[in-house]
Amino acid sequence: MCRSIKTLRPPAVDRATETEVREAALQYVRKISGYRVPSKANTAVFEAAVAAVAETTQRLLDGLTHRPISTAGPFGAGPLGAEPVTTRPVSEAAG
């Protein structure tokens, strides 16, 4: 839905700033309201929605847990950057 909203949780970012959280909230409210800039009549409710979404987003980010980034390669095969394991082609292995 909101392709321009970036991931704000680790490991994508170390810690989202207040500005990043507010920008994501603003983008979300713009998308669902259909207003890029609200009319004067809708400014107060628009800004209140941005603040509420930003607050809820920050609470979500603060409550999430995540696993540390693994230094193992795919399937725990070894450290990243290690020499790849070479295998024989199937035709050689069968003979």
Side-chain angles (χ1 to χ4, degrees):
M1 179 169 100
C2 296
R3 287 183 235 151
S4 61
I5 296 177
K6 65 182 187 174
T7 301
L8 297 178
R9 68 170 178 82
V13 294
D14 288 332
R15 172 126 172 101
T17 65
E18 186 176 326
T19 300
E20 289 172 320
V21 170
R22 187 181 189 293
E23 287 174 357
L26 176 60
Q27 190 65 26
Y28 177 77
V29 172
R30 283 177 173 167
K31 183 70 170 189
I32 62 170
S33 70
Y35 292 110
R36 186 178 183 307
V37 178
S39 66
K40 285 186 180 184
N42 292 323
T43 298
V45 70
F46 188 91
E47 288 299 324
V50 171
V53 170
E55 181 183 330
T56 301
T57 299
Q58 191 61 63
R59 242 188 347 262
L60 170 67
L61 293 172
D62 291 344
L64 291 174
T65 59
H66 64 279
R67 288 182 271 185
I69 297 173
S70 174
T71 57
F75 311 109
L80 294 175
E83 289 296 316
V85 176
T86 55
T87 58
R88 295 183 298 181
V90 173
S91 59
E92 289 179 22

